Amino acid sequence: MRLTKFLQIVLPPNPNGHIPFYLQNLCSVNGIDCRAFGRLIQYCSDHLLLRQAKQLHARIVQSSLTPDNFLASKLINFYSKSNHLSEEHKVFDKILDRNIFSWNAMLIGYSIHDMHGHTLNLFSSLLSFYSGFDLDIFVVNALITYCSRCDDLGLARILFDRMHDRDIVSWNSMIAGYSQCGFYEDCKSLYRKMLDSTRLRPNGITLVSVLPACAQSNDLVFVKEVHQFIIERKIEMDVSAHNSLIGLYSKCGSLDYAQELFNVMSNKDEITYGSIISGYMAHGFVDKAMDLL
């Protein structure tokens, strides 16, 4: 264990030996070393050393230093992880010249605590300061989901289109937003764009959002495209996904496809039977429907 003389902060030594170096360099000839303090606070945050991190912050306050963006971001992350959101906001409010790192830290803090209203308000404030931005991908994905839940697909799409880098969650969030809000043509269009313009491939979660769009539009060609993709990529389908496809084929009158899927299912539930029976009944094949009862 090592002890700082002026702070009386006990920190366990870490394997790479950086802690003793940072402790020795908390104060430089020019005053407080923000980098050393920031890295120590990050270490405390990662190792749940709450008391020690607060002691470090207290020393910063006593020195009358206003943290720069690097140090402030570390403090914001610490208070977010330790669920001290009021302290997190106090640190953010005191930053004199915020940059994208401090904004990201604050947005992430709100997002991980599901404070979507605060996240969106803060993001609106950010837009008033920056015409362009490079936000953390986790934050933007959360904002897209939140906007979609609030039926603000326009803002969700603006966020999506402005992203420099998108991951599978980004695509799934936007596709799901369109599907859940009833914008089925936009849902299908974005799914096709994902296939054509990205190295990322749709996964099971993507398809769960796309299948309802197929159902509402009665687009048999699109249904077959999605089904073919599932087969080619060997994507595992649960009972719900199988039921959706059976229902889609039945609704579109492709009862042979529906029956084929029905036959290969090892586990069937009431919805499975209901979907194919309804399909047969709707298209006048009463005898076949009765055989399944």
Side-chain angles (χ1 to χ4, degrees):
M1 307 291 279
R2 287 190 172 256
L3 185 68
T4 61
K5 292 181 180 179
F6 69 101
L7 287 175
Q8 297 295 300
I9 299 175
V10 179
L11 291 173
N14 63 332
N16 59 25
H18 289 167
I19 292 303
F21 173 79
Y22 294 141
L23 286 171
Q24 292 167 8
N25 290 276
L26 288 177
C27 290
S28 66
V29 292
N30 297 318
I32 294 290
D33 187 333
C34 290
R35 293 280 164 179
F37 266 95
R39 290 187 175 97
L40 278 173
I41 289 170
Q42 182 66 55
Y43 178 83
C44 292
S45 180
D46 292 341
H47 294 82
L48 303 178
L49 302 173
L50 306 186
R51 178 174 59 83
Q52 290 90 335
K54 288 181 179 179
Q55 286 177 312
L56 288 165
H57 190 195
R59 175 58 176 149
I60 295 168
V61 173
Q62 289 170 7
S63 71
S64 299
L65 172 75
T66 299
D68 63 8
N69 280 280
F70 174 81
L71 179 52
S73 297
K74 299 302 181 183
L75 285 166
I76 290 169
N77 289 335
F78 161 68
Y79 282 121
S80 176
K81 283 185 178 181
S82 59
N83 204 28
H84 291 81
L85 301 185
S86 60
E87 294 299 319
E88 171 191 30
H89 209 289
K90 286 178 184 177
V91 173
F92 182 76
D93 286 341
K94 290 179 180 178
I95 303 172
L96 297 178
D97 186 19
R98 300 176 188 129
N99 65 13
I100 199 65
F101 297 105
S102 50
W103 283 97
N104 267 334
M106 196 66 198
L107 286 165
I108 290 172
Y110 280 146
S111 296
I112 63 177
H113 289 285
D114 294 326
M115 300 174 68
H116 300 302
H118 288 77
T119 306
L120 196 56
N121 289 335
L122 190 65
F123 177 72
S124 298
S125 299
L126 171 62
L127 289 182
S128 67
F129 286 94
Y130 293 94
S131 57
F133 59 89
D134 188 16
L135 289 177
D136 184 274
I137 193 169
F138 170 83
V139 172
V140 182
N141 290 343
L143 285 169
I144 290 171
T145 299
Y146 178 71
C147 291
S148 299
R149 289 175 181 171
C150 296
D151 294 330
D152 194 344
L153 273 299
L155 180 55
R157 187 57 189 260
I158 290 172
L159 288 166
F160 179 83
D161 288 340
R162 287 189 180 184
M163 295 178 76
H164 298 301
D165 295 301
R166 305 183 185 101
D167 60 11
I168 188 66
V169 178
S170 311
W171 286 93
N172 284 349
S173 297
M174 194 68 239
I175 289 171
Y178 279 138
S179 179
Q180 292 163 7
C181 294
F183 292 84
Y184 301 118
E185 292 304 317
D186 291 303
C187 176
K188 293 190 296 182
S189 174
L190 191 59
Y191 169 80
R192 285 192 169 116
K193 182 177 180 180
M194 183 181 185
L195 289 176
D196 295 338
S197 63
T198 177
R199 58 181 175 75
L200 296 171
R201 298 289 88 184
N203 59 14
I205 296 174
T206 318
L207 300 173
V208 166
S209 299
V210 170
L211 288 175
C214 301
Q216 295 299 322
S217 59
N218 291 333
D219 189 340
L220 182 59
V221 174
F222 190 75
V223 174
K224 289 181 177 180
E225 285 180 18
V226 173
H227 191 191
Q228 184 64 30
F229 181 85
I230 292 171
I231 294 170
E232 290 176 353
R233 293 285 169 169
K234 298 180 180 179
I235 297 175
E236 291 187 11
M237 294 196 301
D238 58 13
V239 174
S240 176
H242 271 102
N243 290 345
S244 295
L245 277 173
I246 289 172
L248 288 169
Y249 280 129
S250 298
K251 188 176 181 180
C252 294
S254 295
L255 299 174
D256 289 341
Y257 284 102
Q259 184 66 57
E260 183 179 340
L261 276 171
F262 181 86
N263 292 339
V264 300
M265 287 181 68
S266 55
N267 296 312
K268 303 179 180 73
D269 59 15
E270 293 179 356
I271 297 176
T272 314
Y273 281 91
S275 297
I276 195 164
I277 289 171
S278 297
Y280 278 132
M281 294 290 286
H283 293 281
F285 296 95
V286 179
D287 292 341
K288 288 188 175 183
M290 296 300 293
D291 289 340
L292 294 168
L293 293 175

